[in-house]
Amino acid sequence: GAGVSQSPSNKVTEKGKDVELRCDPISGHTALYWYRQSLGQGLEFLIYFQGNSAPDKSGLPSDRFSAERTGGSVSTLTIQRTQQEDSAVYLCASSLAEAVGTFGSGTRLTVV
Amino acid sequence: QQPVQSPQAVILREGEDAVINCSSSKALYSVHWYRQKHGEAPVFLMILLKGGEQKGHEKISASFNEKKQQSSLYLTASQLSYSGTYFCGTERHRGGNTPLVFGKGTRLSVIA
C-alpha cells in the first residue's frame, strides 16, 4: 500500500480481555517496528521484526504482550488480559533501510 | 538510553525562531527528527549521520555535534503549520533497521 495501515484506529476493551492490533506495512519494507505512546510520553519501543524474525523483543512490557509477523508483511500485536496501564496509542512503523521509518496513524487502545 | 530533549515545550509567535535540542550520554551513529501533529502519525523530517553535514528542509534545519553527542533542530521564521510535537530518535550503531530510541518530545505551539 501507499502507507502504513493500522487497524482498528480505536479500540475500547474491558479489563481482562484480549486484544489484537494489526499493522500492514508499506509493501517491500523488510523491517517493522511497534512502539507505544502514552499520554505526554515519548515513543516507547516494544518489538521489531526483520522479515518474519524478531531480533529484539526487549521492549515488550510483560509476557502478556506478544507479536508475530507472517509472510514478511502483516504483523499482529496481541495483548492478553489487558490492564488499565495498557491504555495508549500503539504505533507501527516500517522501513527499507537505515532505520528511517514511516509510521502508521496508530491504534488508540482504551482499557476500561 | 533515552535521549533527553529540551525544552519540553515552547510557544512561538509566527515568524519567530526556535531551537530544539536532543542529547545523549552515549556515542551516536545517527539522529532522526520527526514531527507529530495531534492525532496523527509522526512524520519523518530528516536524518543526521555521524560525520555528516548539517541538513535542511526549507526553513527547518538540523546539526549534529559528535563531540557533545547532541543534535539541534532549528526552526526559522516559524509558521502556524510548524506546530506539533518534535521527537528525536537515536541510533547508536550503523546496523540498519535497528529500532530508534526516542526522546519524550518537545511540544511546539506557533500562534498568530
Side-chain angles (χ1 to χ4, degrees):
Chain A
V4 177
S5 177
Q6 291 189 247
S7 61
S9 54
N10 278 285
K11 176 72 176 178
V12 180
T13 189
E14 290 181 356
K15 179 181 171 181
K17 295 279 180 73
D18 298 350
V19 295
E20 280 190 357
L21 312 180
R22 178 187 167 106
C23 173
D24 273 285
I26 292 174
S27 178
H29 279 192
T30 54
L32 185 148
Y33 314 83
W34 283 98
Y35 285 86
R36 179 168 70 174
Q37 186 173 33
S38 302
L39 188 63
Q41 298 298 309
L43 299 163
E44 176 191 3
F45 168 72
L46 298 177
I47 186 172
Y48 98 99
F49 290 89
Q50 187 64 255
N52 291 334
S53 318
D56 190 347
K57 303 180 183 179
S58 62
L60 294 177
S62 74
D63 57 9
R64 296 186 295 105
F65 287 72
S66 63
E68 64 174 13
R69 188 180 186 195
T70 55
S73 181
V74 172
S75 176
T76 303
L77 178 70
T78 302
I79 309 173
Q80 295 179 308
R81 306 181 302 282
T82 51
Q83 303 295 312
Q84 288 187 328
E85 61 262 27
D86 299 335
S87 296
V89 176
Y90 289 81
L91 290 163
C92 173
S94 69
S95 72
L96 191 57
E98 292 295 342
V100 175
T102 301
F103 281 89
S105 296
T107 294
R108 181 176 298 277
L109 175 67
T110 304
V111 182
V112 299
Chain B
Q1 290 281 359
Q2 185 177 39
V4 177
Q5 289 188 235
S6 62
Q8 290 184 331
V10 59
I11 299 174
L12 297 176
R13 292 197 179 277
E14 271 188 294
E16 292 182 336
D17 302 340
V19 180
I20 299 172
N21 296 308
C22 173
S23 298
S24 173
S25 60
K26 303 288 185 183
L28 300 174
Y29 168 70
S30 68
V31 179
H32 304 230
W33 285 97
Y34 285 78
R35 177 173 62 205
Q36 184 181 31
K37 293 185 179 287
H38 183 68
E40 299 181 9
V43 173
F44 172 76
L45 294 176
M46 66 188 78
I47 177 175
L48 285 300
L49 299 177
K50 178 180 177 180
E53 299 176 354
Q54 179 167 336
K55 292 204 173 176
H57 174 69
E58 296 181 345
K59 293 180 180 177
I60 301 175
S61 62
S63 63
F64 181 16
N65 186 323
E66 290 176 46
K67 274 190 175 180
K68 293 183 177 180
Q69 299 306 324
Q70 177 176 298
S71 179
S72 296
L73 186 71
Y74 307 96
L75 302 120
T76 57
S78 59
Q79 305 168 18
L80 294 175
S81 62
Y82 288 4
S83 294
T85 301
Y86 289 77
F87 292 98
C88 68
T90 58
E91 187 182 21
R92 291 197 55 208
H93 304 289
R94 189 192 186 286
N97 299 142
T98 53
L100 298 177
V101 179
F102 285 93
K104 292 190 175 182
T106 295
R107 185 187 298 271
L108 174 70
S109 301
V110 181
I111 59 176

